[in-house]
Amino acid sequence: MLATSISPAVAAPAHASPSLQPSTENVELARALRADGTFTGGDGLVGAVDLSRWHFASDMSIAEPPRFEPAVTATTANGWSNLGSNGSGNGALNSHVYAATIYGGDLYVGGNFYQGLPNSTSLDFLAKWNGSAWSSVGSNGSGGPAIGGRVYALHVSGGNLLVGGDFTNAGGDPQADELAVWNGTTFSDIANIANGTTVSDPFNFGEIHAIASNQSSLFFGGYWYNSPVLGGSSGNPGDMVLSYDGTWHSMGASNTGDGPIQCQVDALVATETHVYAGGCFTNVYSDGTIEFAARFDIDNFVWEAMDNAGPGIHSIGGTVHALAMSGTDLYVGGEFLNADNIADADYLAKWNTATSSWSDVGGTLPNGFVRSIAVSGTNVYVGGDFIQSPGPMDHVAKWNGSTWSALGSNGSNDGALFGKVNALALTSTSLYAGGEFQNAGVIPEADYIASYGLSTGKQKPDGRIRKGSGTLGGNNIYNTTGLNQTRSGSTTVGNTITFTISIQNDGTGAGRFGVAATSSGNVNFQVKYFRGTTEITSAVVAGTYTTGSVGVGNSIAITAKVKVVPAVIVGSPTTRLITITSLADASKIDAVKFTATRT
């Protein structure tokens, strides 16, 4: 738990006015993280952080900002696993999954399932998996499920989980229709107030299919017309997309007064300057080049074409179901062929936001629609309707930057999943797939939701140490006592001895390592530890310090500075044993040692 101030522009409590001063409250770590796991911080941040359900994933050697990943993991590396069961040989969920995300260290899934597990009403439409068991997410206040209809969208923003779909009265809140805000404990609505008047449903009893956010606003896409928050019962521009920053806003308007988008929006991605949308829409602003995929310029309040194919040729010629952003690359998936007139850009294409140009992604996928995309570095995971006949690249596949590959098989040269994949959620160790399949990986209990363990290889720490500018000792020596990997130094009072601890990954896969210091001898020496210029003493002493991801053969350095203070008796030594442990395999340990003496 930690205490932090919550920005009312994004995470306002229900019915709160944006003019309220930020409050201070105890919240879970998840509420201080952005969707990508980076720590937001904030004024008035106090208290301790409980990291028992989280990994510190930043690579501090490249000055990556603090980033955390949940500890939810799959059980089988390079293979599929079920997530619980109904106790009778089938999956815990009994129908389709449409959305999945990680929030608060747990996996949340939404869909059309109901009464999951035998005779249970707690797993209706939205459920939570904590790595070992399923549980409900809130209630309606009368003993029933909090969500009473299909869930199509899940999005983490401002420390909250936003839930979108086709439901009313989420958590018993009469204003939480189609959209509900889960803060980890309770559901509430976003303050549905326009011009001082309470509006029962901003989405006019339609459906939310997509949610995105940037640092200042939330964005919603789906299927509805004439949002009441924009006034009037008809003829207003509140169609298919809305934004919210404490006040509701349209996103453009046509020359007829209606919204410029007039067909369902299925996918949204937001940056600080633009919102990207995908769906079935055509002729935005009556412009035939703005179809199926479009970019909204936030400052200029206008939708723009993503079209370089030339006159009469549209960049995207079919419905877009999925968008995912990685750096300057926007991955677009759907029902289209030959994006931007590129022969191999079928069902999946990439738009470079810096150069405004399209490209294919590794050539033609197996024939079928793409409905979900998850990206991590150069790895792009896609799910959908596609199949490879014969071959195992069915419904889910991976592009690693150079080649396509399947994720397992059914043992008969077909794919491990047989049925649409509508949702993907990704951590550093697991891919979670949700959809309309059953018996994933020929596992009877792997119905509608399953996890695939991502191979990270083996991590093996090799601790080495030097004093000052001397040579490193301990290369390819592995023990827990520091034997043959120890350095010593001595100096007079007021001076400092510097030791450098190098941690090299001698394993076969990138990984993170824990670092802990054990002291012996005279305790009066002043010993401090640094990663670059950042002091990490308290974490190293507590044994809670973890490195960022260290690539195979790469190393990071920690500096130990030992100062001799007057309280140290002449001739008195102090010793520190620095133990380095693989976070993926606790049996892989190495240790180095240093000793400092006052002369």
Side-chain angles (χ1 to χ4, degrees):
M1 303 289 286
L2 75 154
T4 185
S5 58
I6 304 299
S7 168
V10 175
H15 314 297
S17 165
S19 64
L20 291 178
Q21 293 297 316
S23 61
T24 299
E25 57 178 315
N26 288 327
V27 298
E28 297 289 345
L29 171 64
R31 296 189 65 186
L33 302 180
R34 299 186 180 94
D36 63 357
T38 54
F39 185 68
T40 60
D43 294 337
L45 188 66
V46 296
V49 180
D50 180 4
L51 295 179
S52 60
R53 299 285 303 280
W54 297 85
H55 296 310
F56 182 73
S58 300
D59 186 350
M60 295 184 67
S61 66
I62 59 172
E64 183 182 2
R67 180 172 59 86
F68 298 85
E69 290 182 348
V72 178
T73 58
T75 56
T76 303
N78 294 315
W80 290 96
S81 301
N82 62 295
L83 276 62
S85 74
N86 69 351
S88 302
N90 293 312
L93 308 182
N94 64 3
S95 193
H96 302 168
V97 169
Y98 297 124
T101 195
I102 304 295
Y103 172 70
D106 298 317
L107 173 71
Y108 284 72
V109 298
N112 192 39
F113 50 85
Y114 54 93
Q115 295 186 2
L117 305 179
N119 304 315
S120 171
T121 60
S122 66
L123 301 187
D124 289 2
F125 306 108
L126 180 67
K128 178 177 71 173
W129 171 256
N130 67 3
S132 60
W134 287 99
S135 63
S136 60
V137 183
S139 74
N140 64 0
S142 302
I147 304 292
R150 294 180 181 179
V151 171
Y152 294 117
L154 296 171
H155 180 75
V156 178
S157 178
N160 295 320
L161 176 67
L162 303 178
V163 182
D166 181 13
F167 53 80
T168 59
N169 302 342
D173 185 335
Q175 288 184 215
D177 298 338
E178 284 75 59
L179 173 65
V181 182
W182 174 252
N183 66 7
T185 304
T186 59
F187 275 107
S188 64
D189 60 88
I190 284 183
N192 297 337
I193 298 174
N195 300 321
T197 302
T198 299
V199 178
S200 61
D201 190 335
F203 309 101
N204 206 14
F205 300 100
E207 299 175 353
I208 291 178
H209 286 253
I211 306 173
S213 63
N214 58 22
Q215 293 301 300
S216 59
S217 298
L218 299 168
F219 305 91
F220 303 96
Y223 184 84
W224 67 83
Y225 289 97
N226 303 319
S227 171
V229 295
L230 300 182
S233 59
S234 63
N236 74 52
D239 305 329
M240 309 301 170
V241 285
L242 286 172
S243 69
Y244 180 78
D245 60 2
T247 300
W248 290 100
H249 304 279
S250 66
M251 295 177 67
S254 69
N255 55 12
T256 64
D258 292 325
I261 291 179
Q262 291 291 300
C263 193
Q264 181 171 299
V265 171
D266 285 331
L268 291 172
V269 166
T271 70
E272 294 307 304
T273 58
H274 293 92
V275 180
Y276 297 87
C280 62
F281 51 84
T282 59
N283 297 313
V284 176
Y285 297 128
S286 299
D287 184 339
T289 66
I290 311 179
E291 298 190 337
F292 304 112
R295 180 176 66 180
F296 183 71
D297 186 314
I298 295 174
D299 289 337
N300 293 317
F301 201 70
V302 63
W303 288 97
E304 303 169 332
M306 297 165 60
D307 192 347
N308 292 320
I313 301 175
H314 303 303
S315 288
I316 298 293
T319 298
V320 168
H321 293 298
L323 299 172
M325 183 78 80
S326 178
T328 59
D329 292 326
L330 177 71
Y331 293 88
V332 180
E335 303 181 14
F336 52 84
L337 297 174
N338 301 336
D340 201 40
N341 207 29
I342 300 170
D344 287 337
D346 296 345
Y347 311 114
L348 180 68
K350 183 172 66 175
W351 168 264
N352 188 294
T353 60
T355 62
S356 296
S357 60
W358 289 98
S359 63
D360 66 283
V361 182
T364 304
L365 273 172
N367 188 24
F369 303 157
V370 169
R371 297 185 180 272
S372 52
I373 306 171
V375 185
S376 176
T378 59
N379 293 326
V380 181
Y381 301 87
V382 296
D385 302 6
F386 53 84
I387 59 172
Q388 182 184 28
S389 183
M393 206 180 304
D394 298 342
H395 303 291
V396 64
K398 173 188 174 183
W399 169 253
N400 67 3
S402 58
T403 59
W404 282 100
S405 61
L407 299 179
S409 76
N410 67 351
S412 301
N413 200 35
D414 285 322
L417 307 185
F418 193 75
K420 294 179 183 177
V421 172
N422 300 317
L424 294 172
L426 187 64
T427 70
S428 62
T429 58
S430 306
L431 177 73
Y432 298 92
E436 304 175 26
F437 54 83
Q438 292 178 282
N439 303 338
V442 202
I443 302 170
E445 296 89 353
D447 299 337
Y448 308 109
I449 185 73
S451 63
Y452 186 83
L454 303 178
S455 175
T456 57
K458 296 180 179 179
Q459 298 87 49
K460 182 179 181 182
D462 185 6
R464 300 169 297 171
I465 189 169
R466 72 184 180 198
K467 181 178 75 76
S469 59
T471 58
L472 286 169
N475 189 45
N476 294 327
I477 299 173
Y478 311 99
N479 57 51
T480 60
T481 63
L483 180 65
N484 296 323
Q485 37 193 350
T486 297
R487 288 291 184 267
S488 301
S490 60
T491 191
T492 56
V493 67
N495 292 318
T496 298
I497 306 170
T498 299
F499 299 94
T500 299
I501 298 128
S502 172
I503 301 172
Q504 180 171 288
N505 184 357
D506 283 358
T508 59
R512 299 183 297 270
F513 302 98
V515 181
T518 303
S519 62
S520 59
N522 193 311
V523 298
N524 291 323
F525 285 83
Q526 181 188 88
V527 182
K528 294 184 178 182
Y529 301 92
F530 297 86
R531 180 80 182 271
T533 58
T534 302
E535 185 176 350
I536 57 174
T537 303
S538 59
V540 172
V541 171
T544 59
Y545 182 77
T546 60
T547 68
S549 181
V550 182
V552 176
N554 293 337
S555 61
I556 63 98
I558 293 174
T559 302
K561 295 184 177 181
V562 184
K563 184 175 182 180
V564 180
V565 298
V568 176
I569 301 171
V570 174
S572 180
T574 192
T575 298
R576 299 293 186 272
L577 179 71
I578 310 299
T579 303
I580 308 151
T581 307
S582 166
L583 295 183
D585 183 354
S587 68
K588 298 298 186 290
I589 304 173
D590 196 15
V592 298
K593 184 189 294 186
F594 63 82
T595 298
T597 303
R598 176 182 174 180
T599 56

